[in-house]
Amino acid sequence: MRINTNVGALTASRNAFVNNIATENSMRKLSSGLRISRAADDAAGLAVASKLRTQSRSLSQAAANAEQGNAMLQIAEGAAQTIQRIIERQKELITQKLNATSSTSTTTTINAEIASLATEASRIQSAATFQGMAVFAALSFQVGDGDGASVNQVAVTATLTQTPLSGTSTLADADTALDAVNEVLSNIGAGQNVLDYTVQNLKSAVVNVRAAESTIRDVDMAEEMATFTRNNILTQAAQAMLSQANQGSQGVLQLLR
């Protein structure tokens, strides 16, 4: 029997240390809900999970961009519809003025209203802005997490180029102005449809990317709890054996009596 080196106690102490570290790791994972709560848990997995998190955040912003773009187009649509109604009224006035029963005074009044409506249409067009930007323009919305414009951007031609009507305008001029407004409304509607589908696709992509990240970063609580219970029992057993190993050395005293 040897007392200078208690191999049993050293072995039990080493096992208690290892089991205690494993128990602490399980506690950290269970309390955080993360399988990778530090780089040492899975360095390669952490790199992949970080890339997925970055991608999901970029896709979420792309979805927000598309939603803001749709809001911008709604402002343009509302303004264009108002201008359309103004031109319709102007055409109505031109038709009235061309009638043989219209007197000089009536014509003068009609021309004044046409001019007033033209001024308001121009004002509405220039005042239609979103965060200080003109909504009647060639618009481009970033809706992807890459740099390729052809893949990650949605372009909408919302330029309104109708000619303001005046007292000398004809019915043909009014029709031309209406065609211009109808064209921009058509472009706006097409752009809104594209952005609606884009938002749906982006939100679906965000869910899928986050789910992929979860499989790498998040802990399986049931499995980790089983691991924690096992390690906790082993730690207690190692401590008990360490106590027994220390008591074993007391047997030497029996030989000295």
Side-chain angles (χ1 to χ4, degrees):
M1 300 179 68
R2 299 178 177 84
I3 61 172
N4 283 337
T5 303
N6 191 336
V7 177
L10 292 175
T11 301
S13 177
R14 179 182 63 82
N15 287 334
F17 174 78
V18 172
N19 293 332
N20 187 59
I21 292 297
T23 301
E24 290 179 355
N25 286 337
S26 291
M27 291 176 64
R28 185 178 64 254
K29 293 177 181 179
L30 288 169
S31 62
S32 66
L34 298 174
R35 185 182 72 85
I36 307 176
S37 58
R38 59 176 185 167
D41 291 333
D42 185 354
L46 178 61
V48 175
S50 296
K51 289 182 179 179
L52 289 171
R53 173 173 293 182
T54 300
Q55 183 182 8
S56 69
R57 293 183 63 176
S58 181
L59 289 172
S60 294
Q61 183 57 55
N65 290 349
E67 290 175 332
Q68 291 175 11
N70 221 333
M72 187 175 189
L73 292 179
Q74 287 174 359
I75 293 174
E77 179 184 18
Q81 288 176 342
T82 301
I83 293 173
Q84 182 184 51
R85 289 193 294 272
I86 288 176
I87 297 173
E88 289 172 351
R89 172 57 180 166
Q90 287 176 315
K91 182 177 181 180
E92 180 182 5
L93 291 170
I94 293 172
T95 303
Q96 180 183 358
K97 183 180 67 172
L98 293 175
N99 190 39
T101 61
S102 296
S103 63
T104 302
S105 61
T106 300
T107 299
T108 301
T109 302
I110 290 175
N111 287 340
E113 184 176 351
I114 292 174
S116 178
L117 290 172
T119 300
E120 179 61 12
S122 298
R123 188 198 66 79
I124 291 173
Q125 181 175 345
S126 61
T129 59
F130 180 82
Q131 296 184 354
M133 297 179 294
V135 298
F136 291 118
L139 306 174
S140 182
F141 307 107
Q142 182 70 23
V143 295
D145 64 336
D147 296 327
S150 61
V151 177
N152 295 288
Q153 291 185 348
V154 170
V156 180
T157 303
T159 304
L160 183 57
T161 58
Q162 95 286 353
T163 302
L165 300 179
S166 64
T168 60
S169 297
T170 64
L171 292 175
D173 295 328
D175 288 337
T176 299
L178 284 172
D179 288 341
V181 176
N182 287 333
E183 181 180 1
V184 75
L185 282 171
S186 176
N187 291 336
I188 290 172
Q192 288 175 323
N193 285 332
V194 171
L195 290 175
D196 283 340
Y197 287 119
T198 299
V199 170
Q200 295 175 28
N201 179 67
L202 287 170
K203 289 185 179 295
S204 176
V206 169
V207 171
N208 292 332
V209 172
R210 287 183 177 174
E213 180 195 357
S214 176
T215 61
I216 300 172
R217 193 187 296 272
D218 295 343
V219 69
D220 184 328
M221 298 295 287
E223 179 181 352
E224 193 60 40
M225 191 62 200
T227 301
F228 168 76
T229 302
R230 181 195 65 196
N231 291 331
N232 194 33
I233 293 173
L234 289 174
T235 298
Q236 296 178 44
Q239 291 172 349
M241 292 305 98
L242 178 59
S243 177
Q244 290 294 324
N246 289 333
Q247 291 178 4
S249 299
Q250 299 295 321
V252 176
L253 295 176
Q254 301 295 326
L255 301 176
L256 301 177
R257 292 176 182 177

